[in-house]
Amino acid sequence: MATMTSSHTFQPLLHRIAAEIESMPGRGRPADYIPALAAYDPHRFGMAVAELDGTVYGVGDWRQPFSTQSISKVFTLALDLALEGDTLWKHVSREPSGNPFNSLVQLEYENGIPRNPFINAGALVVTDRLHTQTGDAARTLLEFLRAESDNAELSINKAVAASESAHGNRNAALGHFMASYGNIGNPVPVLLDQYFRQCSIEASCADLALATGFLARHGIRADGTRLLTQSQAKQVNAIMLTCGTYDAAGDFAYRVGLPGKSGVGGGIIGVVPGCCTLCVWGPGLDERGNSVAGVAALDRFTTLTGLSVF
């Protein structure tokens, strides 16, 4: 892995990337199937880099909270993995899907075992298991994000959660289908409420870059305690690399070369193990649900710095 000669070069680098993004034609469209997200301006852009010691650099709208959506799946995966270890993998696989993130087709072929933790079906399983372990999966996640980002103001946007619930028939179908195979332990309505609350947490690029730091520190939290073993941190990073950007994961690995996880709120987190973590936000999405500006910015970051897992 290449390394930068001095961390202080992050700030001018971020300004350079932001200037390039500003001149980009075509930024995609916000997620319009969740009405509460459709109002986002696709020309908003923020980017933050957090070093291992918690020093954060940022540019643009890097302090603007946005809907984390599927980025939250990384943290619920880590929290559940920390609690139950490899037992989790009896209920969800670790393979790329190659299908849309809310597909029902694969589940029937694979007897209710989702292909990976980052498609919606897999994330529902992880949330279900975390809820069983903790009694309140969404609250556990929120408290973790508040602690790691050192931002006690992080909260769940109730309007977004209500919007998702009102338009959540596909997720309900996934939940009931997996329940029919015995792969969901809680009542499906309870699970859906937890899942929609989880996805509706709002955080900024700075918050999420900091909260992701444990994956760059090989499992060590911001306070120095260990959440994951080094091996488990490696596993989460590997799944992010292969499955973190829906069915565009191969192209993301090709262009960016980092473990990453996107959300339809327009955010993407990235991890440079042993060095830093990143978060970008650009609400305009491509046809696969990934931020157009976000992918471009991360591509430029790894190209200009030489920081990559390859």
Side-chain angles (χ1 to χ4, degrees), residues 33-34 36-37 40 66-76 101 117-120 123-124 127 137-139 141-142 145 155-165 171 191-203 208 246 261-266:
Y33 62 90
I34 302 174
L37 302 183
Y40 279 143
F66 60 89
S67 190
T68 59
Q69 294 296 312
S70 287
I71 292 174
S72 66
K73 297 172 182 177
V74 170
F75 304 105
T76 52
F101 58 84
F118 294 153
I119 56 174
N120 285 18
L124 285 165
T127 298
R139 171 58 59 175
L141 170 62
L142 181 60
L145 292 175
S155 63
I156 295 169
N157 186 316
K158 295 180 180 178
V160 173
S163 180
E164 294 211 37
S165 180
N171 285 317
L191 167 59
L192 292 173
D193 177 67
Q194 288 287 322
Y195 182 69
F196 295 143
R197 288 171 59 212
Q198 163 193 317
C199 291
S200 301
I201 293 173
E202 292 190 332
L208 290 171
Y246 310 120
K261 183 70 196 86
S262 61
V264 296

Tab-separated table of all heavy atoms in Angstrom, residues 33-34 36-37 40 66-76 101 117-120 123-124 127 137-139 141-142 145 155-165 171 191-203 208 246 261-266:
chain	number	residue	atom	x	y	z
A	33	TYR	N	-37.517	7.409	-4.996
A	33	TYR	CA	-38.478	6.431	-4.494
A	33	TYR	C	-38.648	6.536	-2.983
A	33	TYR	O	-39.504	5.873	-2.409
A	33	TYR	CB	-38.065	5.013	-4.899
A	33	TYR	CG	-36.736	4.560	-4.336
A	33	TYR	CD1	-36.653	3.912	-3.124
A	33	TYR	CD2	-35.568	4.789	-5.056
A	33	TYR	CE1	-35.434	3.498	-2.622
A	33	TYR	CE2	-34.348	4.383	-4.560
A	33	TYR	CZ	-34.287	3.737	-3.347
A	33	TYR	OH	-33.069	3.337	-2.851
A	34	ILE	N	-37.803	7.342	-2.321
A	34	ILE	CA	-38.018	7.720	-0.929
A	34	ILE	C	-38.280	9.226	-0.949
A	34	ILE	O	-37.349	10.017	-1.088
A	34	ILE	CB	-36.795	7.395	-0.049
A	34	ILE	CG1	-36.461	5.901	-0.128
A	34	ILE	CG2	-37.060	7.797	1.396
A	34	ILE	CD1	-35.191	5.511	0.584
A	36	ALA	N	-38.749	11.637	0.976
A	36	ALA	CA	-38.025	12.541	1.870
A	36	ALA	C	-36.599	12.806	1.376
A	36	ALA	O	-35.977	13.788	1.787
A	36	ALA	CB	-37.991	11.979	3.282
A	37	LEU	N	-36.073	11.932	0.509
A	37	LEU	CA	-34.727	12.136	-0.029
A	37	LEU	C	-34.742	12.854	-1.377
A	37	LEU	O	-33.715	13.378	-1.820
A	37	LEU	CB	-34.016	10.786	-0.209
A	37	LEU	CG	-33.856	9.913	1.042
A	37	LEU	CD1	-33.077	8.652	0.698
A	37	LEU	CD2	-33.185	10.669	2.175
A	40	TYR	N	-33.276	16.540	-2.043
A	40	TYR	CA	-31.856	16.896	-1.977
A	40	TYR	C	-31.392	17.538	-3.284
A	40	TYR	O	-31.757	17.102	-4.378
A	40	TYR	CB	-30.997	15.655	-1.727
A	40	TYR	CG	-30.910	15.195	-0.290
A	40	TYR	CD1	-30.870	13.836	0.005
A	40	TYR	CD2	-30.839	16.092	0.769
A	40	TYR	CE1	-30.765	13.376	1.312
A	40	TYR	CE2	-30.739	15.644	2.072
A	40	TYR	CZ	-30.700	14.292	2.342
A	40	TYR	OH	-30.593	13.843	3.625
A	66	PHE	N	-26.734	14.261	6.612
A	66	PHE	CA	-27.558	13.687	5.558
A	66	PHE	C	-27.996	12.292	5.998
A	66	PHE	O	-27.510	11.756	6.999
A	66	PHE	CB	-26.803	13.640	4.223
A	66	PHE	CG	-25.546	12.807	4.263
A	66	PHE	CD1	-25.573	11.444	3.977
A	66	PHE	CD2	-24.323	13.391	4.572
A	66	PHE	CE1	-24.424	10.678	4.015
A	66	PHE	CE2	-23.161	12.637	4.608
A	66	PHE	CZ	-23.207	11.277	4.328
A	67	SER	N	-28.897	11.700	5.262
A	67	SER	CA	-29.454	10.403	5.626
A	67	SER	C	-28.451	9.298	5.311
A	67	SER	O	-28.067	9.107	4.158
A	67	SER	CB	-30.764	10.178	4.868
A	67	SER	OG	-31.444	9.059	5.362
A	68	THR	N	-28.043	8.555	6.332
A	68	THR	CA	-26.997	7.546	6.130
A	68	THR	C	-27.475	6.382	5.273
A	68	THR	O	-26.691	5.783	4.539
A	68	THR	CB	-26.494	6.994	7.471
A	68	THR	OG1	-27.585	6.409	8.182
A	68	THR	CG2	-25.866	8.092	8.306
A	69	GLN	N	-28.740	6.030	5.381
A	69	GLN	CA	-29.306	4.923	4.617
A	69	GLN	C	-28.431	3.661	4.741
A	69	GLN	O	-28.118	3.241	5.828
A	69	GLN	CB	-29.533	5.354	3.162
A	69	GLN	CG	-30.591	6.440	3.022
A	69	GLN	CD	-31.969	5.968	3.448
A	69	GLN	OE1	-32.445	4.906	3.055
A	69	GLN	NE2	-32.626	6.753	4.281
A	70	SER	N	-27.983	3.092	3.623
A	70	SER	CA	-27.306	1.793	3.679
A	70	SER	C	-25.893	1.850	4.261
A	70	SER	O	-25.314	0.800	4.538
A	70	SER	CB	-27.244	1.164	2.282
A	70	SER	OG	-28.524	0.699	1.900
A	71	ILE	N	-25.338	3.038	4.437
A	71	ILE	CA	-24.047	3.117	5.124
A	71	ILE	C	-24.174	2.538	6.526
A	71	ILE	O	-23.227	1.931	7.056
A	71	ILE	CB	-23.550	4.580	5.179
A	71	ILE	CG1	-23.199	5.069	3.771
A	71	ILE	CG2	-22.341	4.719	6.092
A	71	ILE	CD1	-22.828	6.543	3.714
A	72	SER	N	-25.351	2.673	7.110
A	72	SER	CA	-25.575	2.163	8.466
A	72	SER	C	-25.344	0.652	8.556
A	72	SER	O	-25.045	0.123	9.632
A	72	SER	CB	-27.000	2.499	8.923
A	72	SER	OG	-27.959	1.806	8.129
A	73	LYS	N	-25.468	-0.048	7.436
A	73	LYS	CA	-25.337	-1.505	7.438
A	73	LYS	C	-23.942	-1.960	7.874
A	73	LYS	O	-23.787	-3.050	8.439
A	73	LYS	CB	-25.662	-2.057	6.054
A	73	LYS	CG	-27.094	-1.796	5.603
A	73	LYS	CD	-27.298	-2.189	4.143
A	73	LYS	CE	-28.713	-1.878	3.674
A	73	LYS	NZ	-28.922	-2.181	2.240
A	74	VAL	N	-22.928	-1.146	7.590
A	74	VAL	CA	-21.564	-1.491	8.008
A	74	VAL	C	-21.480	-1.573	9.531
A	74	VAL	O	-20.879	-2.504	10.098
A	74	VAL	CB	-20.558	-0.454	7.485
A	74	VAL	CG1	-19.177	-0.655	8.106
A	74	VAL	CG2	-20.473	-0.518	5.967
A	75	PHE	N	-22.100	-0.617	10.198
A	75	PHE	CA	-21.983	-0.521	11.647
A	75	PHE	C	-22.833	-1.572	12.354
A	75	PHE	O	-22.403	-2.136	13.370
A	75	PHE	CB	-22.344	0.893	12.096
A	75	PHE	CG	-21.514	1.940	11.415
A	75	PHE	CD1	-22.042	2.736	10.404
A	75	PHE	CD2	-20.182	2.115	11.751
A	75	PHE	CE1	-21.270	3.680	9.766
A	75	PHE	CE2	-19.396	3.060	11.116
A	75	PHE	CZ	-19.938	3.854	10.118
A	76	THR	N	-24.016	-1.880	11.835
A	76	THR	CA	-24.810	-2.948	12.440
A	76	THR	C	-24.112	-4.289	12.246
A	76	THR	O	-24.132	-5.145	13.144
A	76	THR	CB	-26.239	-2.999	11.866
A	76	THR	OG1	-26.182	-3.046	10.444
A	76	THR	CG2	-27.050	-1.804	12.299
A	101	PHE	N	-30.206	-4.388	-5.101
A	101	PHE	CA	-30.075	-4.532	-3.649
A	101	PHE	C	-31.366	-4.956	-2.956
A	101	PHE	O	-31.337	-5.399	-1.820
A	101	PHE	CB	-29.552	-3.236	-3.019
A	101	PHE	CG	-30.407	-2.020	-3.282
A	101	PHE	CD1	-31.497	-1.748	-2.487
A	101	PHE	CD2	-30.108	-1.154	-4.314
A	101	PHE	CE1	-32.286	-0.629	-2.709
A	101	PHE	CE2	-30.886	-0.024	-4.550
A	101	PHE	CZ	-31.978	0.237	-3.749
A	117	PRO	N	-24.375	-9.231	3.669
A	117	PRO	CA	-25.026	-8.373	4.681
A	117	PRO	C	-25.421	-6.988	4.183
A	117	PRO	O	-26.053	-6.245	4.943
A	117	PRO	CB	-23.953	-8.229	5.772
A	117	PRO	CG	-22.916	-9.248	5.473
A	117	PRO	CD	-22.966	-9.477	4.009
A	118	PHE	N	-25.060	-6.629	2.943
A	118	PHE	CA	-25.273	-5.255	2.493
A	118	PHE	C	-26.422	-5.101	1.513
A	118	PHE	O	-26.884	-3.987	1.277
A	118	PHE	CB	-23.991	-4.685	1.895
A	118	PHE	CG	-22.879	-4.525	2.910
A	118	PHE	CD1	-21.557	-4.565	2.520
A	118	PHE	CD2	-23.163	-4.334	4.254
A	118	PHE	CE1	-20.529	-4.409	3.449
A	118	PHE	CE2	-22.153	-4.185	5.191
A	118	PHE	CZ	-20.831	-4.220	4.786
A	119	ILE	N	-26.885	-6.193	0.899
A	119	ILE	CA	-28.159	-6.092	0.192
A	119	ILE	C	-29.253	-5.995	1.258
A	119	ILE	O	-29.040	-6.331	2.423
A	119	ILE	CB	-28.390	-7.291	-0.757
A	119	ILE	CG1	-28.311	-8.616	0.012
A	119	ILE	CG2	-27.414	-7.253	-1.920
A	119	ILE	CD1	-28.669	-9.837	-0.833
A	120	ASN	N	-30.417	-5.530	0.872
A	120	ASN	CA	-31.448	-5.258	1.879
A	120	ASN	C	-31.828	-6.494	2.690
A	120	ASN	O	-32.007	-6.425	3.911
A	120	ASN	CB	-32.687	-4.659	1.214
A	120	ASN	CG	-32.480	-3.211	0.828
A	120	ASN	OD1	-31.349	-2.736	0.746
A	120	ASN	ND2	-33.568	-2.510	0.566
A	123	ALA	N	-29.118	-7.158	5.228
A	123	ALA	CA	-29.125	-6.142	6.279
A	123	ALA	C	-30.288	-6.355	7.236
A	123	ALA	O	-30.161	-6.119	8.441
A	123	ALA	CB	-29.199	-4.743	5.662
A	124	LEU	N	-31.427	-6.806	6.719
A	124	LEU	CA	-32.565	-7.114	7.586
A	124	LEU	C	-32.212	-8.248	8.550
A	124	LEU	O	-32.562	-8.199	9.737
A	124	LEU	CB	-33.782	-7.487	6.742
A	124	LEU	CG	-34.497	-6.317	6.056
A	124	LEU	CD1	-35.436	-6.826	4.969
A	124	LEU	CD2	-35.271	-5.470	7.068
A	127	THR	N	-29.833	-6.795	11.226
A	127	THR	CA	-30.580	-5.950	12.156
A	127	THR	C	-31.444	-6.803	13.081
A	127	THR	O	-31.538	-6.540	14.290
A	127	THR	CB	-31.457	-4.944	11.390
A	127	THR	OG1	-30.617	-4.091	10.615
A	127	THR	CG2	-32.289	-4.089	12.339
A	137	ALA	N	-31.945	-2.463	18.325
A	137	ALA	CA	-30.831	-2.382	17.375
A	137	ALA	C	-30.558	-0.949	16.944
A	137	ALA	O	-29.401	-0.517	16.877
A	137	ALA	CB	-31.132	-3.253	16.150
A	138	ALA	N	-31.605	-0.200	16.643
A	138	ALA	CA	-31.424	1.163	16.146
A	138	ALA	C	-30.805	2.063	17.214
A	138	ALA	O	-29.920	2.880	16.921
A	138	ALA	CB	-32.751	1.743	15.663
A	139	ARG	N	-31.259	1.908	18.442
A	139	ARG	CA	-30.691	2.703	19.544
A	139	ARG	C	-29.234	2.321	19.789
A	139	ARG	O	-28.385	3.186	20.021
A	139	ARG	CB	-31.525	2.491	20.800
A	139	ARG	CG	-30.935	3.077	22.079
A	139	ARG	CD	-30.692	4.573	22.001
A	139	ARG	NE	-31.906	5.330	21.717
A	139	ARG	CZ	-31.973	6.656	21.689
A	139	ARG	NH1	-30.888	7.369	21.943
A	139	ARG	NH2	-33.109	7.268	21.408
A	141	LEU	N	-27.117	1.192	17.595
A	141	LEU	CA	-26.357	1.789	16.498
A	141	LEU	C	-26.163	3.278	16.714
A	141	LEU	O	-25.054	3.808	16.548
A	141	LEU	CB	-27.082	1.533	15.174
A	141	LEU	CG	-26.549	2.288	13.960
A	141	LEU	CD1	-25.106	1.913	13.659
A	141	LEU	CD2	-27.445	2.042	12.744
A	142	LEU	N	-27.238	3.979	17.073
A	142	LEU	CA	-27.155	5.425	17.265
A	142	LEU	C	-26.160	5.771	18.363
A	142	LEU	O	-25.339	6.692	18.205
A	142	LEU	CB	-28.538	5.985	17.600
A	142	LEU	CG	-28.638	7.499	17.805
A	142	LEU	CD1	-28.202	8.262	16.556
A	142	LEU	CD2	-30.059	7.884	18.202
A	145	LEU	N	-22.603	5.316	17.030
A	145	LEU	CA	-22.194	6.398	16.117
A	145	LEU	C	-21.926	7.691	16.887
A	145	LEU	O	-20.986	8.426	16.560
A	145	LEU	CB	-23.267	6.617	15.052
A	145	LEU	CG	-23.457	5.483	14.044
A	145	LEU	CD1	-24.629	5.793	13.125
A	145	LEU	CD2	-22.192	5.248	13.241
A	155	SER	N	-28.998	11.975	15.371
A	155	SER	CA	-30.361	11.559	15.678
A	155	SER	C	-31.000	10.865	14.486
A	155	SER	O	-30.461	10.882	13.365
A	155	SER	CB	-31.215	12.776	16.078
A	155	SER	OG	-31.310	13.687	14.996
A	156	ILE	N	-32.142	10.260	14.745
A	156	ILE	CA	-32.946	9.614	13.716
A	156	ILE	C	-33.943	10.624	13.167
A	156	ILE	O	-34.640	11.292	13.930
A	156	ILE	CB	-33.681	8.400	14.297
A	156	ILE	CG1	-32.677	7.324	14.737
A	156	ILE	CG2	-34.675	7.830	13.289
A	156	ILE	CD1	-33.292	6.215	15.562
A	157	ASN	N	-33.986	10.761	11.859
A	157	ASN	CA	-34.949	11.650	11.228
A	157	ASN	C	-36.284	10.907	11.114
A	157	ASN	O	-36.422	10.004	10.279
A	157	ASN	CB	-34.452	12.093	9.843
A	157	ASN	CG	-35.352	13.130	9.212
A	157	ASN	OD1	-36.571	13.007	9.239
A	157	ASN	ND2	-34.762	14.151	8.611
A	158	LYS	N	-37.232	11.286	11.955
A	158	LYS	CA	-38.502	10.563	12.008
A	158	LYS	C	-39.294	10.692	10.720
A	158	LYS	O	-40.024	9.766	10.333
A	158	LYS	CB	-39.320	11.056	13.202
A	158	LYS	CG	-38.681	10.732	14.541
A	158	LYS	CD	-39.528	11.251	15.704
A	158	LYS	CE	-38.868	10.924	17.046
A	158	LYS	NZ	-39.654	11.449	18.186
A	159	ALA	N	-39.145	11.831	10.026
A	159	ALA	CA	-39.876	12.010	8.768
A	159	ALA	C	-39.353	11.054	7.701
A	159	ALA	O	-40.129	10.475	6.924
A	159	ALA	CB	-39.745	13.458	8.283
A	160	VAL	N	-38.033	10.866	7.658
A	160	VAL	CA	-37.453	9.929	6.691
A	160	VAL	C	-37.873	8.500	7.041
A	160	VAL	O	-38.239	7.718	6.164
A	160	VAL	CB	-35.916	10.059	6.651
A	160	VAL	CG1	-35.302	8.963	5.777
A	160	VAL	CG2	-35.512	11.430	6.121
A	161	ALA	N	-37.835	8.149	8.333
A	161	ALA	CA	-38.245	6.810	8.750
A	161	ALA	C	-39.700	6.544	8.371
A	161	ALA	O	-40.041	5.453	7.882
A	161	ALA	CB	-38.044	6.640	10.250
A	162	ALA	N	-40.555	7.548	8.567
A	162	ALA	CA	-41.970	7.392	8.213
A	162	ALA	C	-42.142	7.250	6.706
A	162	ALA	O	-42.961	6.455	6.223
A	162	ALA	CB	-42.769	8.587	8.727
A	163	SER	N	-41.339	8.016	5.947
A	163	SER	CA	-41.388	7.940	4.489
A	163	SER	C	-40.967	6.563	4.009
A	163	SER	O	-41.584	5.975	3.115
A	163	SER	CB	-40.477	9.015	3.885
A	163	SER	OG	-40.497	8.964	2.479
A	164	GLU	N	-39.925	6.014	4.611
A	164	GLU	CA	-39.465	4.681	4.230
A	164	GLU	C	-40.503	3.626	4.581
A	164	GLU	O	-40.747	2.686	3.825
A	164	GLU	CB	-38.140	4.368	4.916
A	164	GLU	CG	-37.005	5.264	4.452
A	164	GLU	CD	-35.661	4.557	4.511
A	164	GLU	OE1	-35.613	3.342	4.215
A	164	GLU	OE2	-34.678	5.211	4.836
A	165	SER	N	-41.115	3.788	5.753
A	165	SER	CA	-42.127	2.831	6.176
A	165	SER	C	-43.320	2.839	5.226
A	165	SER	O	-43.861	1.783	4.870
A	165	SER	CB	-42.577	3.161	7.600
A	165	SER	OG	-43.566	2.257	8.033
A	171	ASN	N	-39.270	-4.220	1.241
A	171	ASN	CA	-38.554	-4.685	2.424
A	171	ASN	C	-39.434	-5.578	3.300
A	171	ASN	O	-38.959	-6.557	3.883
A	171	ASN	CB	-38.037	-3.497	3.238
A	171	ASN	CG	-36.840	-2.842	2.588
A	171	ASN	OD1	-35.936	-3.524	2.113
A	171	ASN	ND2	-36.816	-1.526	2.558
A	191	LEU	N	-39.101	-5.735	13.261
A	191	LEU	CA	-37.853	-5.658	12.508
A	191	LEU	C	-37.860	-4.483	11.538
A	191	LEU	O	-36.878	-3.732	11.448
A	191	LEU	CB	-37.637	-6.967	11.744
A	191	LEU	CG	-36.538	-6.949	10.674
A	191	LEU	CD1	-35.189	-6.605	11.283
A	191	LEU	CD2	-36.490	-8.292	9.945
A	192	LEU	N	-38.941	-4.305	10.813
A	192	LEU	CA	-39.013	-3.222	9.832
A	192	LEU	C	-38.888	-1.863	10.505
A	192	LEU	O	-38.201	-0.963	10.000
A	192	LEU	CB	-40.313	-3.301	9.039
A	192	LEU	CG	-40.449	-4.505	8.099
A	192	LEU	CD1	-41.852	-4.549	7.510
A	192	LEU	CD2	-39.407	-4.456	6.988
A	193	ASP	N	-39.540	-1.694	11.660
A	193	ASP	CA	-39.429	-0.433	12.393
A	193	ASP	C	-37.973	-0.171	12.777
A	193	ASP	O	-37.477	0.953	12.618
A	193	ASP	CB	-40.310	-0.483	13.639
A	193	ASP	CG	-40.174	0.771	14.487
A	193	ASP	OD1	-40.585	1.856	14.016
A	193	ASP	OD2	-39.648	0.683	15.613
A	194	GLN	N	-37.281	-1.192	13.258
A	194	GLN	CA	-35.876	-1.047	13.617
A	194	GLN	C	-35.036	-0.694	12.389
A	194	GLN	O	-34.160	0.177	12.433
A	194	GLN	CB	-35.359	-2.355	14.234
A	194	GLN	CG	-35.875	-2.628	15.628
A	194	GLN	CD	-35.243	-1.711	16.664
A	194	GLN	OE1	-34.063	-1.390	16.607
A	194	GLN	NE2	-36.036	-1.280	17.628
A	195	TYR	N	-35.295	-1.379	11.297
A	195	TYR	CA	-34.507	-1.187	10.079
A	195	TYR	C	-34.703	0.209	9.503
A	195	TYR	O	-33.737	0.877	9.116
A	195	TYR	CB	-34.897	-2.253	9.056
A	195	TYR	CG	-34.120	-2.181	7.768
A	195	TYR	CD1	-32.770	-2.501	7.726
A	195	TYR	CD2	-34.744	-1.807	6.581
A	195	TYR	CE1	-32.053	-2.442	6.537
A	195	TYR	CE2	-34.048	-1.749	5.395
A	195	TYR	CZ	-32.703	-2.072	5.370
A	195	TYR	OH	-32.002	-2.009	4.188
A	196	PHE	N	-35.945	0.670	9.452
A	196	PHE	CA	-36.200	2.005	8.899
A	196	PHE	C	-35.607	3.090	9.800
A	196	PHE	O	-35.096	4.097	9.308
A	196	PHE	CB	-37.702	2.224	8.704
A	196	PHE	CG	-38.320	1.322	7.671
A	196	PHE	CD1	-39.604	0.800	7.843
A	196	PHE	CD2	-37.630	0.983	6.520
A	196	PHE	CE1	-40.172	-0.039	6.894
A	196	PHE	CE2	-38.190	0.148	5.554
A	196	PHE	CZ	-39.463	-0.366	5.751
A	197	ARG	N	-35.658	2.900	11.115
A	197	ARG	CA	-35.023	3.856	12.030
A	197	ARG	C	-33.514	3.857	11.832
A	197	ARG	O	-32.881	4.912	11.816
A	197	ARG	CB	-35.382	3.508	13.477
A	197	ARG	CG	-36.826	3.811	13.856
A	197	ARG	CD	-37.167	3.248	15.224
A	197	ARG	NE	-36.300	3.804	16.259
A	197	ARG	CZ	-35.923	3.144	17.350
A	197	ARG	NH1	-36.317	1.886	17.532
A	197	ARG	NH2	-35.162	3.712	18.235
A	198	GLN	N	-32.941	2.675	11.690
A	198	GLN	CA	-31.499	2.551	11.468
A	198	GLN	C	-31.061	3.328	10.234
A	198	GLN	O	-30.080	4.091	10.274
A	198	GLN	CB	-31.157	1.070	11.298
A	198	GLN	CG	-29.807	0.768	10.677
A	198	GLN	CD	-29.691	-0.683	10.261
A	198	GLN	OE1	-30.097	-1.577	10.990
A	198	GLN	NE2	-29.133	-0.934	9.089
A	199	CYS	N	-31.776	3.150	9.146
A	199	CYS	CA	-31.397	3.786	7.882
A	199	CYS	C	-31.645	5.291	7.888
A	199	CYS	O	-31.108	6.009	7.038
A	199	CYS	CB	-32.160	3.146	6.727
A	199	CYS	SG	-31.652	1.442	6.370
A	200	SER	N	-32.452	5.768	8.832
A	200	SER	CA	-32.839	7.177	8.869
A	200	SER	C	-31.990	8.012	9.816
A	200	SER	O	-32.296	9.185	10.054
A	200	SER	CB	-34.321	7.299	9.244
A	200	SER	OG	-35.131	6.614	8.315
A	201	ILE	N	-30.931	7.436	10.351
A	201	ILE	CA	-29.984	8.225	11.145
A	201	ILE	C	-29.298	9.230	10.229
A	201	ILE	O	-28.886	8.897	9.120
A	201	ILE	CB	-28.952	7.312	11.827
A	201	ILE	CG1	-29.635	6.447	12.887
A	201	ILE	CG2	-27.821	8.127	12.450
A	201	ILE	CD1	-28.731	5.390	13.508
A	202	GLU	N	-29.208	10.463	10.706
A	202	GLU	CA	-28.530	11.506	9.934
A	202	GLU	C	-27.163	11.790	10.539
A	202	GLU	O	-27.013	11.889	11.762
A	202	GLU	CB	-29.370	12.779	9.898
A	202	GLU	CG	-30.645	12.614	9.085
A	202	GLU	CD	-31.358	13.941	8.845
A	202	GLU	OE1	-31.219	14.855	9.683
A	202	GLU	OE2	-32.055	14.053	7.818
A	203	ALA	N	-26.161	11.920	9.683
A	203	ALA	CA	-24.800	12.213	10.122
A	203	ALA	C	-24.083	12.922	8.981
A	203	ALA	O	-24.493	12.832	7.823
A	203	ALA	CB	-24.068	10.930	10.498
A	208	LEU	N	-19.220	10.483	9.936
A	208	LEU	CA	-19.095	9.125	9.422
A	208	LEU	C	-17.647	8.735	9.173
A	208	LEU	O	-17.273	7.572	9.357
A	208	LEU	CB	-19.929	8.969	8.150
A	208	LEU	CG	-21.441	8.992	8.381
A	208	LEU	CD1	-22.197	9.065	7.062
A	208	LEU	CD2	-21.890	7.754	9.164
A	246	TYR	N	-23.424	-2.182	-3.937
A	246	TYR	CA	-24.477	-2.889	-4.652
A	246	TYR	C	-23.876	-3.712	-5.793
A	246	TYR	O	-22.820	-4.321	-5.633
A	246	TYR	CB	-25.555	-1.904	-5.129
A	246	TYR	CG	-26.045	-0.985	-4.027
A	246	TYR	CD1	-25.918	0.398	-4.125
A	246	TYR	CD2	-26.605	-1.503	-2.864
A	246	TYR	CE1	-26.354	1.232	-3.114
A	246	TYR	CE2	-27.040	-0.676	-1.840
A	246	TYR	CZ	-26.918	0.692	-1.975
A	246	TYR	OH	-27.338	1.517	-0.967
A	261	LYS	N	-18.639	1.694	1.318
A	261	LYS	CA	-20.074	1.397	1.444
A	261	LYS	C	-20.856	2.640	1.115
A	261	LYS	O	-20.630	3.717	1.686
A	261	LYS	CB	-20.432	0.940	2.864
A	261	LYS	CG	-21.912	0.560	3.008
A	261	LYS	CD	-22.218	-0.728	2.272
A	261	LYS	CE	-23.728	-0.941	2.065
A	261	LYS	NZ	-24.228	-0.268	0.848
A	262	SER	N	-21.779	2.488	0.191
A	262	SER	CA	-22.604	3.616	-0.248
A	262	SER	C	-24.002	3.530	0.350
A	262	SER	O	-24.414	2.494	0.879
A	262	SER	CB	-22.698	3.627	-1.771
A	262	SER	OG	-23.301	2.424	-2.232
A	263	GLY	N	-24.727	4.637	0.258
A	263	GLY	CA	-26.122	4.692	0.660
A	263	GLY	C	-26.876	5.578	-0.305
A	263	GLY	O	-26.290	6.490	-0.902
A	264	VAL	N	-28.180	5.345	-0.455
A	264	VAL	CA	-28.942	6.120	-1.427
A	264	VAL	C	-29.215	7.549	-0.954
A	264	VAL	O	-29.784	8.348	-1.692
A	264	VAL	CB	-30.261	5.419	-1.827
A	264	VAL	CG1	-29.981	4.118	-2.528
A	264	VAL	CG2	-31.163	5.218	-0.617
A	265	GLY	N	-28.784	7.886	0.270
A	265	GLY	CA	-28.784	9.287	0.689
A	265	GLY	C	-27.672	10.077	0.025
A	265	GLY	O	-27.606	11.302	0.180
A	266	GLY	N	-26.787	9.387	-0.703
A	266	GLY	CA	-25.715	10.054	-1.442
A	266	GLY	C	-24.349	9.970	-0.785
A	266	GLY	O	-23.374	10.506	-1.310
